[in-house]
Amino acid sequence: MAVYALTGFSLVSLLSFGYLSWDWMKPSLVADVATDPMEKSPPPTFTRPPHIIFILTDDQGYHDIGYHGSDIQTPTLDRLAAEGVKLENYYIQPICTPSRSQLITGRYQIHTGLQHSIIRPRQPNCLPLDQVTLPQKLQEAGYSTHMVGKWHLGFYKKECLPTRRGFDTFLGSLTGNVDYYTYDNCDGPDVCGYDLHEGEDVAWDQSGKYSTFLYAQRVSKILASHSPKEPIFIYVAFQAVHTPLQSPKEYIYRYRSMGNVARRKYAAMVTCMDEAVKNITWALKKYGYYDNSVMVFSTDNGGQTFSGGSNWPLRGRKGTYWEGGVRGIGFVHSPLIKRKRRTSWALVHITDWYPTLVSLARGNLSNVQGLDGYDVWPAISEGKESPRTEILHNIDPLYNHAKYGSLEDGFGIWNTAVQASIRVGEWKLLTGDPGYSDWIPPQTLTNFPGSWWNLERLTDGLRKSVWLFNITADPYERYDLSEQRPDVVRSLLMRLVHYNRTAIPVRYPAENPRAHPDFNGGAWGPWATEDEGEEWEGGRESLKSRNKKKKKKCKICKLRSFFRKLNTRLMSNRI
């Protein structure tokens, strides 16, 4: 392992900043708070199914919460976590769509065909329609179900929309990245459209309202109009803190002393989101829901380090299978928890929320086959051992194959060029190209150039395609044990082979020019009918078919220009 010196900073000077001084077991950061961890609260009555509020944040880094030692202020999240149960062995997926699909279905992405990348705005693709979703199971159990925020599970036909997948109401965006005020989203040059929807209609009238505030206000409105005597499920998928880095000025002003501009804006967005959660919690108490409620907080993937996020001291970032990409912030806050105010090291994965929440709701799981999640409520509430012993992080056969991987390196049973990762017990295996692999300290120094962010870089990884870590003993993934423990490598490769036999074909179809917002009045939305939709589903397109589509695009340029002008006139009249 080679350590790269930083221009103007030695490794010793970085140590003096405390960048390497975080003790993984330091009590003030992750250990039990306020009371003896063995103290038990009176058992919950559970006279009625609990109200469930699931809060998912976007691109929030592992380091970017107060109780992980962050320089960002998150007093609400810190308090809720301290009074509940912190999940410090909690895993998510490295990018948006996979985490959301696994939350909603309780299945690994290899079992829904979404194991490669994300669902892009112009792809005729969505969460498979044969999957029974979490909100649909809760509806069966008598719940009113509502979604507020970012969907990002496909929308090419109406059957894919949130209101067709189990939610009674929906206010939010369908794509993965919109402006926080205008709700515009561009999927390439001149491919831009408005993306804020109320139910199945475009919510033009909400433009100009900061999304974090808008979504929190909508949750309060839902609670105010519903009866606390009837169970309710609200899925709050904040757009924050995904790019673009936008926040009300008063929040940015709080971090004016923070030298790095991206980090300053990002910090403001996190604090703004924290206050939105405060308002939601207040509404739960004001309208009589709190005493019979379960609040779950989760991030969707690791932080994006070049956009202000930090996963320190973990390795890697969003989009990678290093711990910085897949270890999430998670906690549960509820008066119904039997053992509150503690930290849980039980192994938990985002797929586990499906059976856990349906069981809490007294729903029926007997008719749901093939779940990859486990009911982890006894582990969370009572401190029992987690039923989960392993996690398939993913197997992506379409991702760029590692140059130096081979079947031979995989003992003849696995091609190590394929991107894959799995954890079994205390061991974690990665094959192929796991993604950007550096350890990146918080970008807090003034004008800290991107090229200086890398505290350490492994040069010996350039010719590797297999890594093995004891994650329990080495949570920062500093010591690759693949050569010392070939027996463990072979054992975990066999688990990958097992899972790969159960995988379904990848759903990653070519983009469809008909998805252009110009054909939908200037907004992103469904474009395919139920009958014709399936013809667009399939694998990667060929170069020949791609060239044909380019020719078709040229034929419709005039028509596209007409719709753009028409939409401009309609917008002028609306304004």
Side-chain angles (χ1 to χ4, degrees), residues 154-321:
F155 59 89
Y156 78 104
K157 53 185 178 181
K158 286 188 175 181
E159 289 74 16
C160 301
L161 297 177
T163 47
R164 306 289 181 98
R165 305 311 306 271
F167 290 104
D168 296 327
T169 69
F170 169 68
L171 173 68
S173 60
L174 299 174
T175 62
N177 179 24
V178 301
D179 186 281
Y180 281 75
Y181 291 96
T182 67
Y183 299 97
D184 291 328
N185 176 27
C186 293
D187 187 40
D190 300 320
V191 189
C192 300
Y194 184 83
D195 183 17
L196 183 65
H197 295 75
E198 174 91 54
E200 298 182 6
D201 299 321
V202 182
W204 297 106
D205 59 318
Q206 302 293 345
S207 178
K209 300 177 182 178
Y210 188 65
S211 73
T212 304
F213 292 154
L214 176 65
Y215 293 156
Q217 290 167 1
R218 174 51 60 94
V219 174
S220 296
K221 184 178 179 180
I222 292 171
L223 293 172
S225 60
H226 187 77
S227 170
K229 295 180 180 180
E230 301 298 328
I232 190 170
F233 169 61
I234 305 179
Y235 171 37
V236 188
F238 282 114
Q239 175 188 352
V241 286
H242 196 291
T243 53
L245 299 179
Q246 297 173 306
S247 172
K249 292 182 179 179
E250 59 267 27
Y251 291 89
I252 298 176
Y253 185 75
R254 299 184 190 184
Y255 296 97
R256 60 192 179 279
S257 62
M258 195 174 282
N260 185 280
V261 176
R263 181 69 174 170
R264 186 190 313 159
K265 293 180 178 179
Y266 175 91
M269 295 167 70
V270 174
T271 297
C272 186
M273 178 271 295
D274 181 85
E275 291 195 9
V277 174
K278 177 181 178 180
N279 293 336
I280 292 173
T281 307
W282 179 83
L284 285 170
K285 294 180 178 180
K286 177 182 178 181
Y287 298 115
Y289 296 87
Y290 177 79
D291 290 341
N292 189 41
S293 68
V294 173
M295 293 181 65
V296 180
F297 181 90
S298 171
T299 50
D300 71 334
N301 47 246
Q304 187 56 277
T305 52
F306 55 74
S307 298
S310 176
N311 305 302
W312 186 258
L314 302 179
R315 185 177 184 178
R317 65 189 184 195
K318 173 184 178 178
T320 75
Y321 287 95

Side-chain angles (χ1 to χ4, degrees), residues 511-526:
E511 294 181 344
N512 188 328
R514 294 167 57 202
H516 199 295
D518 284 357
F519 299 124
N520 192 37
W524 292 101

